[in-house]
Amino acid sequence: MITEPPTGNLLCDIDNIDLKSIIENGPIPKSKRVFLINGWRWHSKSVLRDLKRFQAKINYKQGAEYVDDSLLKCHDFVCGFNWMLLMKIESELFYPFLRKSLPPGARTLVDSLLRQHETVKTLSRELRDMCVGGERERERDGERERERVRRMNEVVERMISCFLTITEVQEEVFIPFISSHISEREQNSFNNRVLRVLGPINSQILLVGMSEAIECSEPDQKEERRLMRAQIPAVARAMLPLWRRRFYNPMTQCL
């Protein structure tokens, strides 16, 4: 059974909070308000891009009589690696950090974001079951295969809808919320904690994915590219081609 993502719930929670007043009266002086936890945003953009690439792969397979194991490999990277790492950082580090640092109104929004991810998790499991189901079938039926691929496309479309809602709320709500309530020093400290938890290899793979998500985005993302150049050390940016060849490309060649 395909689960409908409750994308409206998060937006309703926002409507029930006096965001403008809470942000306006935040403890950080307006002249010192900055947002530095951009890795969260870039990672979300990377997952969204990979979901769209996954969907394109599914659409490419739509008319096939037999679907090979590439869709399962796509799922294992997009959902089993990229999204799972995002969820790990959010649930273990980021959301506890926000609950501790932000006013009660923001905690409601954090819980709403978690519900969005729970929906994505459910959809991801359904999607993987369909991928694995196709792999286990010994006798292939062309019509049944096409129906399975069509249903997979619907599930990915709903996952994309959830992530579009999440990224919209990140931009419109959490950036001003965090910048008005969490100091530059605390944000930098949090970024360092994330790198320690991820470890060097995962950090390198994710940084390549984030960079590609920004570089492949719309032409009006010049400010986003500027932010990435400002926050990512020059040495790390210089290593991106090597990390892409060594780690990222082998994991994403299925897409």
Side-chain angles (χ1 to χ4, degrees):
M1 181 178 179
I2 297 174
T3 305
E4 289 284 351
T7 53
N9 292 353
L10 180 52
L11 301 178
C12 289
D13 287 338
I14 292 172
D15 289 339
N16 292 331
I17 299 171
D18 185 6
L19 288 174
K20 185 175 180 180
S21 175
I22 295 174
I23 292 169
E24 180 74 18
N25 297 318
I28 306 299
K30 291 182 180 179
S31 61
K32 296 184 177 181
R33 293 183 181 182
V34 294
F35 182 81
L36 300 175
I37 311 177
N38 287 299
W40 177 47
R41 298 172 50 253
W42 296 334
H43 196 167
S44 298
K45 290 176 184 293
S46 172
V47 173
L48 181 58
R49 173 179 179 255
D50 284 344
L51 283 170
K52 291 178 178 179
R53 295 165 74 196
F54 192 2
Q55 185 179 45
K57 185 81 171 187
I58 291 170
N59 287 333
Y60 176 76
K61 301 285 187 180
Q62 188 77 47
E65 293 289 328
Y66 164 71
V67 178
D68 58 27
D69 65 352
S70 61
L71 294 184
L72 180 57
K73 291 178 179 178
C74 288
H75 181 279
D76 287 346
F77 174 76
V78 177
C79 302
F81 177 80
N82 200 7
W83 174 74
M84 282 299 292
L85 279 179
L86 174 63
M87 194 64 234
K88 173 183 173 66
I89 294 301
E90 287 186 336
S91 61
E92 294 182 9
L93 295 180
F94 193 51
Y95 293 153
F97 172 69
L98 292 184
R99 287 193 183 98
K100 177 182 176 182
S101 306
L102 296 181
R107 294 168 198 165
T108 301
L109 295 178
V110 169
D111 292 338
S112 297
L113 279 181
L114 276 171
R115 287 197 298 271
Q116 288 286 306
H117 277 293
E118 284 300 316
T119 300
V120 173
K121 182 186 293 185
T122 300
L123 292 169
S124 174
R125 287 172 179 164
E126 293 178 11
L127 183 60
R128 195 174 198 284
D129 285 345
M130 284 185 269
C131 292
V132 172
E135 287 299 297
R136 290 176 176 170
E137 291 176 3
R138 292 186 177 182
E139 294 184 4
R140 304 287 177 170
D141 178 88
E143 186 59 36
R144 187 165 59 181
E145 283 285 282
R146 286 189 287 273
E147 173 62 17
R148 181 172 67 90
V149 172
R150 185 192 66 78
R151 288 170 54 231
M152 291 171 70
N153 187 54
E154 289 181 358
V155 172
V156 175
E157 183 64 37
R158 288 165 183 167
M159 294 171 74
I160 289 172
S161 177
C162 280
F163 260 89
L164 286 171
T165 300
I166 290 169
T167 54
E168 179 184 355
V169 173
Q170 285 177 337
E171 302 296 324
E172 301 297 326
V173 177
F174 278 93
I175 287 180
F177 235 136
I178 290 170
S179 64
S180 63
H181 286 79
I182 303 177
S183 70
E184 180 177 353
R185 181 184 60 80
E186 291 175 297
Q187 292 184 53
N188 277 322
S189 176
F190 175 80
N191 287 337
N192 291 331
R193 287 175 59 203
V194 171
L195 292 175
R196 288 195 297 271
V197 169
L198 285 173
I201 302 300
N202 284 342
S203 296
Q204 292 161 12
I205 296 169
L206 293 178
L207 184 56
V208 174
M210 294 177 197
S211 175
E212 294 207 345
I214 300 304
E215 290 301 323
C216 295
S217 59
E218 297 82 358
D220 63 354
Q221 295 294 309
K222 291 181 180 179
E223 176 62 19
E224 205 70 72
R225 297 185 182 97
R226 186 198 66 77
L227 277 175
M228 181 165 278
R229 286 194 298 270
Q231 278 199 247
I232 305 302
V235 173
R237 285 187 276 116
M239 294 294 290
L240 285 175
L242 175 62
W243 296 339
R244 182 178 291 109
R245 291 194 304 271
R246 181 174 295 177
F247 304 121
Y248 186 79
N249 286 347
M251 295 182 71
T252 60
Q253 60 184 354
C254 57
L255 289 169

